[in-house]
Structure formats: structure tokens, C-alpha cells
């Protein structure tokens, strides 16, 4: 059997599936890609709203550390396609990139759509066949794929299959986690899907805080977990708790502590640029006839949502003690009770464990079936890390399929 008579089916048209399609098509394998949505790359496009953060420019040791408990496995994926390789690949599509002040990498025009259009053009020219509004429904008894189409269900046969179905977040864009049941019935172990890069709820905010400050950003602050270094950035106060980039960066640790202890207390530094001693001295100055709110504004620059949150979470007697008040400003405790629902999360943790896959990302209990992307059991903060690993895993899976097909058909 010749290489170009072999066929592979890819289920899922996100970055991992599309990258696997390109990798395979370049080997001469016929590739048919199926996606349940009316068009491919829908989550990719929405992630690019407000600026397409494609990857990050930080040094590799720091970069790979962002994958936490799974950094060893993700490191293996990135060895063949790291952030620099991803940027070079994007440049090959005719899209320039730049590094922002935060170290994040963006297309020059900050948009996802031109990149996706150029990529799809390349894929079609390479012979990849795209089938939208085609939903995978599991397997038939003969091992063929059950695929729901606008004209009804049909059986699809292929020499190899890649599942790149995303996690369980943003279900309206196709990542609904419905694949979990199909794989479990086939004997594949699945780590439960959990929200990642998500907001968290407190027990309750006061009506005043909720009604006046829900949606207000807290900028130039630092947030941290007990026993860990704080991170600086910003987040948003919500009607039920907190969310935003600084919270997302800590979401894995917060979620794990909630699972272990039932709740998790994070500590907020409202003024990371000022020391506790300097604040204590400033707040010790006589305030005369000024209100405490005015005194905090004059001596510490605290007002608005920062002052309101300090009032919400600080005992009244601390306001009479400058030293204790300064300590509260520098380490304001926020007790978080639960993550927001999975469908609200930017990404998900859990999925197919690497232990159920070989080095080419093939399921050991289902030879010829591969997995890639967010449906694998790993997580990372926002900042380009999610996309980079999705691209890299798609490339590894595509290479794995090509090797398996060559070995199978010798």
C-alpha cells in the first residue's frame, strides 16, 4: 500500500487538529477533518478578540515551568515545536509577530482571523478535506466512526484517527466534553474535567460591594497563596468573587487547595510598590478633621474599589491601629470557596492522562486512535502557553500517526 493511499480522520478543527492535519498532509496521507461547528477554529478566533496572544517569549526553563505537574510531558511535546518554532511557522504564513511589554507574543495586527485564513488556504492546497457540521458520535461495532451530518448519521472508515476535541470549557464553541463518555466506554481512563483559568467565588460580598463595584478592576496589585511568592498584575471584582489574569495565573493552585481543604485563602497586596513600614508611618500621621476614607486617599492613595475591598475584609478595630491597618493593606485575606462553573472557564484541566498514551500520543488501549490538544490532562495559565502546547501536541500526534501508518503497512 502506498503512502498516498493511506487515510487519516481528524475529529476537531482547533489548533491541535489543524496542526496535525498539516503535518500529516505533508507526508502524503489523505486527511479528512471533521468539526461539529459551522466553521473550524471558532474558539481560536474568540480567544483572539482583544488581541491574539499566540505564545510567550520568556526563556525556555521558565516557559516550560508554566505547565506545573505536567511540565515533563509537555516538555517532550515542545522539544520539536517550541515558542520560537511556532513564531517561525506563523511567519511562514505571511503573518508578522511582535513581543509585547509583558513578553507575550502577538501577530502584528493583533488579530486571529488573518492567521486562520492563511492557514486554511495552506491546508486546502495541501489536500486536507474539511467537513463542518459533522459531529463525532462514537464508534460502530465494526470500529468505524459514527458521524452525525446534516443529512443524517454515516459510518466513516480510516486507517488512523486523531481526536482533538478540546476540553470542557466554552461548550457553545464546540468544546463540550461530550467525548469523555465515548472514551470511557472504550476503556480509556479519564481524569475528571475541571475549570482552569477561571474565576472563583467567595462566600458572599456585602450588597454595597456587589452593587457598586462588581466589574471594577483592581490594577497594580499582587496576589499570592500561602507559602508561595506573590504575582503582580490585575484582576476584576465580580458579583460573586474574583476573576481575571492574576487570578487565572493562580487558578490551578487555588483549585487544588479548595479540593483538599474545602476553601483557599489568597492574600492581596493592595499597594505592592510600598512597604508595610512606610505605610504604617504614613497612616500614623494625624488626620485631623479628615474622614478615614480621605486619610487613606491622602496618605496611601487608596480609594474606589481598593478602599471598598479593604473595608469589606478588615475588622473595624484595625482602622484605629495604623500598624495593623498597614498589615491588612499588604496582605488582605480573601477566602475563596469554589471555582466558577466549567462552562465559564477559559480552559479545562483533566482529560486523557499521558499515561494512557504512547510517545506518539496514541491510546494504548485503542491502537490507531490518537489524542491531542486540550483534551489531554495538562493545564497552563493564559499568556500563550495554552496555544503553544496545543500546536505542539498536534504536530507530535501527526508525526505519530504517520509513523504508525508506515509501520502498520510495511
Amino acid at each position: 500500500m502506498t503512502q498516498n493511499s493511506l487515510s487519516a480522520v481528524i475529529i476537531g478543527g482547533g489548533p491541535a487538529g489543524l496542526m496535525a492535519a498539516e503535518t500529516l498532509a505533508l507526508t502524503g496521507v489523505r486527511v479528512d477533518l471533521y468539526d461539529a461547528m459551522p466553521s473550524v477554529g471558532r474558539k481560536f478566533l474568540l480567544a483572539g478578540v482583544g488581541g491574539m496572544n499566540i505564545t510567550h517569549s520568556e526563556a525556555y526553563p521558565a516557559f516550560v515551568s508554566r505547565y506545573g505537574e505536567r511540565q515533563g510531558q509537555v516538555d517532550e511535546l515542545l522539544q520539536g515545536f517550541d515558542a520560537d518554532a511556532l513564531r517561525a511557522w506563523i511567519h511562514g504564513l505571511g503573518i508578522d509577530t511582535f513581543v509585547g511589554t509583558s513578553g507575550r507574543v502577538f501577530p502584528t495586527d493583533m488579530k486571529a482571523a488573518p492567521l486562520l485564513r492563511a492557514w486554511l488556504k495552506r491546508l486546502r492546497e495541501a489536500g486536507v478535506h474539511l467537513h463542518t457540521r459533522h459531529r463525532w458520535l462514537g464508534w460502530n461495532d465494526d470500529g468505524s466512526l459514527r458521524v452525525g451530518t446534516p443529512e443524517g448519521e454515516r459510518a466513516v472508515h480510516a486507517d488512523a484517527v486523531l481526536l482533538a476535541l478540546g476540553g470542557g470549557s466554552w461548550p457553545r464553541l464546540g468544546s463540550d466534553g461530550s467525548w469523555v463518555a465515548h472514551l470511557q466506554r472504550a476503556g480509556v481512563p479519564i481524569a475528571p474535567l475541571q475549570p482552569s483559568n477561571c474565576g472563583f467565588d467567595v462566600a458572599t460580598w456585602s450588597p454595597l460591594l456587589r452593587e457598586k463595584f462588581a466589574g471594577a478592576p483592581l490594577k497594580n496589585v499582587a496576589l499570592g497563596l500561602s507559602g508561595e511568592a506573590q504575582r503582580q498584575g490585575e484582576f476584576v471584582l465580580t458579583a460573586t468573587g474574583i476573576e481575571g489574569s492574576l487570578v487565572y495565573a493562580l487558578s490551578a493552585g487555588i483549585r487544588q487547595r479548595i479540593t483538599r481543604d474545602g476553601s483557599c485563602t489568597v492574600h492581596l497586596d493592595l499597594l505592592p510598590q510600598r512597604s508595610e513600614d512606610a505605610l504604617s508611618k504614613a497612616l500614623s500621621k494625624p488626620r485631623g478633621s479628615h474622614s478615614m476614607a480621605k486619610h487613606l486617599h491622602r496618605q496611601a492613595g487608596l480609594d474606589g474599589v481598593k478602599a471598598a475591598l479593604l473595608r469589606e475584609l478588615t475588622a473595624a478595630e484595625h482602622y484605629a491601629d495604623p500598624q495593623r491597618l498597614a498589615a491588612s493593606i499588604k496582605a488582605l485575606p480573601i477566602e475563596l470557596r469554589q471555582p466558577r462553573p466549567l462552562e465559564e472557564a477559559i480552559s479545562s484541566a483533566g482529560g486523557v492522562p499521558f499515561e494512557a498514551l504512547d510517545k506518539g500520543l496514541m491510546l494504548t488501549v485503542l491502537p490507531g486512535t490518537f489524542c491531542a490538544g486540550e483534551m489531554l490532562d495538562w493545564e497552563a495559565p493564559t499568556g500563550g502557553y495554552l496555544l503553544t502546547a496545543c500546536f505542539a501536541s498536534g504536530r507530535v500526534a501527526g508525526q505519530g500517526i504517520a509513523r504508525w501508518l508506515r509501520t502498520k503497512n510495511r
Side-chain angles (χ1 to χ4, degrees):
M1 183 177 289
T2 62
Q3 182 79 346
N4 59 11
S5 67
L6 299 173
S7 65
V9 164
I10 295 173
I11 310 292
L18 294 173
M19 180 55 77
E22 178 176 325
T23 303
L24 270 172
L26 293 175
T27 71
V29 174
R30 175 189 166 91
V31 179
D32 286 271
L33 186 147
Y34 296 89
D35 194 279
M37 304 304 288
S39 58
V40 299
R42 293 171 83 90
K43 187 175 179 182
F44 179 74
L45 289 174
L46 188 58
V49 173
M52 180 74 254
N53 176 203
I54 198 77
T55 189
H56 204 286
S57 65
E58 70 183 345
Y60 188 78
F63 188 100
V64 76
S65 73
R66 306 301 183 187
Y67 299 94
E69 296 176 354
R70 288 300 194 180
Q71 64 180 286
Q73 291 88 351
V74 176
D75 176 46
E76 293 184 14
L77 303 179
L78 296 174
Q79 287 301 312
F81 201 74
D82 61 10
D84 290 337
L86 177 55
R87 290 187 73 185
W89 175 83
I90 293 170
H91 297 161
L93 288 171
I95 306 293
D96 290 331
T97 60
F98 73 96
V99 179
T101 55
S102 64
R104 299 184 181 201
V105 177
F106 303 87
T108 301
D109 62 4
M110 299 289 288
K111 297 177 181 177
L115 192 162
L116 183 60
R117 282 197 300 269
W119 193 8
L120 293 178
K121 180 176 183 292
R122 176 192 281 180
L123 290 172
R124 292 188 177 100
E125 290 172 348
V128 175
H129 304 270
L130 302 176
H131 309 269
T132 55
R133 294 188 171 91
H134 282 57
R135 180 177 293 276
W136 179 57
L137 303 173
W139 289 277
N140 291 303
D141 291 340
D142 64 357
S144 62
L145 301 167
R146 294 177 56 207
V147 177
T149 79
E151 292 75 39
E153 184 177 327
R154 67 186 182 94
V156 173
H157 298 265
D159 298 305
V161 176
L162 170 66
L163 303 177
L165 289 155
S169 62
W170 295 10
R172 63 190 177 88
L173 300 179
S175 298
D176 59 10
S178 60
W179 52 267
V180 169
H182 299 314
L183 290 183
Q184 287 178 326
R185 281 195 292 269
V188 179
I190 303 292
L193 297 181
Q194 302 179 78
S196 181
N197 289 296
C198 60
F200 291 86
D201 291 341
V202 298
T204 184
W205 291 135
S206 67
L208 176 63
L209 191 71
R210 186 170 60 246
E211 293 164 11
K212 189 172 181 180
F213 293 102
L218 287 103
K219 298 185 177 184
N220 301 316
V221 296
L223 197 66
L225 293 160
S226 297
E228 297 183 10
Q230 288 189 322
R231 297 171 184 256
Q232 292 194 37
E234 63 182 77
F235 66 93
V236 175
L237 195 74
T238 70
T240 61
I242 58 176
E243 67 176 23
S245 59
L246 193 50
V247 178
Y248 302 157
L250 300 173
S251 65
I254 295 172
R255 189 190 66 243
Q256 290 163 2
R257 294 192 188 200
I258 290 175
T259 299
R260 184 190 68 195
D261 304 327
S263 66
C264 173
T265 298
V266 292
H267 291 89
L268 171 64
D269 185 345
L270 291 167
L271 297 171
Q273 69 278 14
R274 298 185 66 175
S275 69
E276 183 176 329
D277 185 58
L279 276 172
S280 178
K281 289 178 180 177
L283 294 173
S284 296
K285 295 179 181 179
R287 62 185 176 97
S289 61
H290 293 299
S291 67
M292 177 54 73
K294 186 68 173 180
H295 187 58
L296 279 170
H297 174 71
R298 285 165 57 91
Q299 300 300 331
L302 280 180
D303 52 20
V305 64
K306 287 186 177 182
L309 192 57
L310 180 65
R311 178 68 70 177
E312 179 89 2
L313 299 174
T314 302
E317 58 268 22
H318 286 203
Y319 279 81
D321 184 337
Q323 188 172 351
R324 295 175 74 185
L325 185 56
S328 293
I329 292 170
K330 295 296 292 181
L332 194 63
I334 305 176
E335 185 181 359
L336 304 173
R337 297 296 184 86
Q338 62 186 10
R340 294 297 299 163
L342 179 57
E343 58 268 21
E344 295 181 17
I346 290 176
S347 60
S348 57
V352 179
F354 284 90
E355 292 77 11
L357 303 158
D358 69 10
K359 295 297 184 181
L361 300 184
M362 183 173 72
L363 288 165
T364 54
V365 299
L366 292 174
T369 299
F370 297 71
C371 297
E374 199 182 328
M375 66 184 294
L376 303 181
D377 181 19
W378 60 276
E379 63 181 311
T382 57
Y385 308 103
L386 291 164
L387 275 176
T388 304
C390 282
F391 279 109
S393 69
R395 188 171 182 271
V396 169
Q399 293 170 333
I401 292 171
R403 284 195 303 272
W404 187 79
L405 288 174
R406 286 195 299 269
T407 302
K408 177 187 175 186
N409 292 283
R410 278 177 182 166

